Amino acid sequence: MPTHTSPVTSNFSLHTAQRAAKSAAAPQKAAVKKPATKAEGATKAAQPTLVELIRRHLAESKEPRSAVEISTALGQAYPERQITTKVVRVTLEGLVAKSQAERSKQGKSVFYTAPASEPTGGPKAEAQPEEAADQKA
């Protein structure tokens, strides 16, 4: 009987050969990307983090700002960074969760401000001398 080669078998061989070629090429691409990532890491280490930029911006702002306003201002100040509104909003919500920013709502709009007092010891540092004075008296 004559042997019959099904199209599935020949396609399988073709796809296997293509996968092998792609996997052989993949390590070369990874090797090219590694030096670029190290260079980017050194550059990013010199730049302030987005959290720091947002905290600084809120501290300098005298009035509440929306996530869109903050991302626009930071995008103009740092054009080399690709700052999106969504990332700024998520970062702001993280700061609110850690009491490093305050959220206020006006209708459907959400605005953010720097906290009224520093959460890292502002009120506690002031309260300690008063307690010490009360104990001495």
Side-chain angles (χ1 to χ4, degrees), residues 39-102:
E40 288 174 9
T43 306
K44 287 182 182 178
Q47 294 182 348
T49 64
L50 183 60
V51 171
E52 292 169 354
L53 292 176
I54 290 174
R55 283 211 294 338
R56 230 183 277 161
H57 183 77
L58 288 175
E60 292 169 358
S61 299
K62 304 217 186 312
E63 56 189 38
R65 305 289 304 261
S66 69
V68 173
E69 292 171 332
I70 294 169
S71 63
T72 302
L74 293 178
Q76 290 173 352
Y78 299 93
E80 70 279 1
R81 299 176 79 148
Q82 297 176 350
I83 300 174
T84 64
T85 303
K86 183 175 182 177
V87 172
V88 169
R89 187 175 293 115
V90 169
T91 305
L92 283 163
E93 288 300 324
L95 290 172
V96 168
K98 293 187 273 184
S99 300
Q100 295 177 1
E102 294 177 355

